[in-house]
């Protein structure tokens, strides 16, 4: 197993900042056209030294393990960043100490980057009811396609 995969496995043992943020200022959601996975990111801002910076970031993912590990790392890296600093981060920047994304996993990092940019572009999270969880959203009919989540058979 290469270093990146080992680091992803270690990150998944204790993922950071997972879950909906009910008092978020902005939220962004993306779906990957490559694999159909989805990721949502919530951002909360604060004022520091006269600058608006990210105070907290959380995520929820219906994605692969790489996307979860990158989102975990990214939501830690984003703390204290201004909007411009956060916007300038590429998928590979967001992987932090996980290391560079292998070619087959680049779109997994781009899913996290996309959710971040979407959140920075700013859907304001108010009222909260207009932003159900990903699970709620996936269970709604989407156009002509209805997605039904499978529950594991015991
Ligand atoms: Fe879909 Fe990684 S395989 S985000």
């Amino acid at each position: 197993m290469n270093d990146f995969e080992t680091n992803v496995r270690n990150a998944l043992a204790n993922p950071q900042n997972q879950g909906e943020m009910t008092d978020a200022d902005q939220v962004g959601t993306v779906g990957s056209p490559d694999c159909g996975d989805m990721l949502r990111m919530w951002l909360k801002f604060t004022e520091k030294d006269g600058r608006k910076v990210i105070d907290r970031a959380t995520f929820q993912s219906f994605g692969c393990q790489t996307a979860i590990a990158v989102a975990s790392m990214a939501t830690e890296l984003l703390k204290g960043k201004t909007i411009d600093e956060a916007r300038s981060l590429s998928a590979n920047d967001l992987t932090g100490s996980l290391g560079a994304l292998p070619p087959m996993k680049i779109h997994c990092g781009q899913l996290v980057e996309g959710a971040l940019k979407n959140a920075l572009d700013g859907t304001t999270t108010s009222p909260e009811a207009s932003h159900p969880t990903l699970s709620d959203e996936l269970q709604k009919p989407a156009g002509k396609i209805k997605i039904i989540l499978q529950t594991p058979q015991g």
Side-chain angles (χ1 to χ4, degrees):
M1 196 180 298
N2 66 31
D3 282 350
F4 182 83
E5 287 174 15
T6 306
N7 293 340
V8 164
R9 251 172 64 161
N10 291 339
L12 290 171
N14 185 24
Q16 304 295 301
N17 309 309
Q18 254 186 311
E20 182 178 359
M21 190 194 298
T22 53
D23 63 342
D25 294 319
Q26 290 181 189
V27 62
T29 307
V30 289
S32 167
D34 293 316
C35 64
D37 290 341
M38 287 180 73
L39 194 131
R40 176 169 292 173
M41 189 177 288
W42 288 266
L43 299 175
K44 181 83 182 163
F45 297 100
T46 189
E47 188 96 359
K48 194 175 171 199
D49 303 327
R51 300 187 317 165
K52 183 177 173 181
V53 298
I54 295 172
D55 185 34
R56 288 180 289 130
T58 69
F59 73 98
Q60 203 175 43
S61 171
F62 283 93
C64 69
Q65 298 197 327
T66 301
I68 293 170
V70 174
S72 169
M73 182 63 67
T75 48
E76 283 293 297
L77 288 174
L78 288 170
K79 291 177 186 170
K81 296 261 188 292
T82 64
I83 291 177
D84 285 345
E85 287 167 346
R87 200 184 297 281
S88 71
L89 296 172
S90 69
N92 260 324
D93 294 330
L94 294 170
T95 61
S97 61
L98 296 175
L101 289 158
M104 293 289 290
K105 301 286 183 182
I106 285 173
H107 78 277
C108 313
Q110 287 171 338
L111 189 72
V112 179
E113 181 188 350
L116 169 62
K117 299 220 158 116
N118 198 326
L120 290 168
D121 286 343
T123 309
T124 307
T125 64
S126 180
E128 287 157 20
S130 66
H131 294 282
T133 63
L134 275 184
S135 160
D136 291 341
E137 203 152 281
L138 283 170
Q139 290 184 53
K140 280 194 235 157
K144 290 184 179 164
I145 302 165
K146 180 166 178 157
I147 301 165
I148 298 169
L149 295 179
Q150 303 272 316
T151 45
Q153 304 291 312

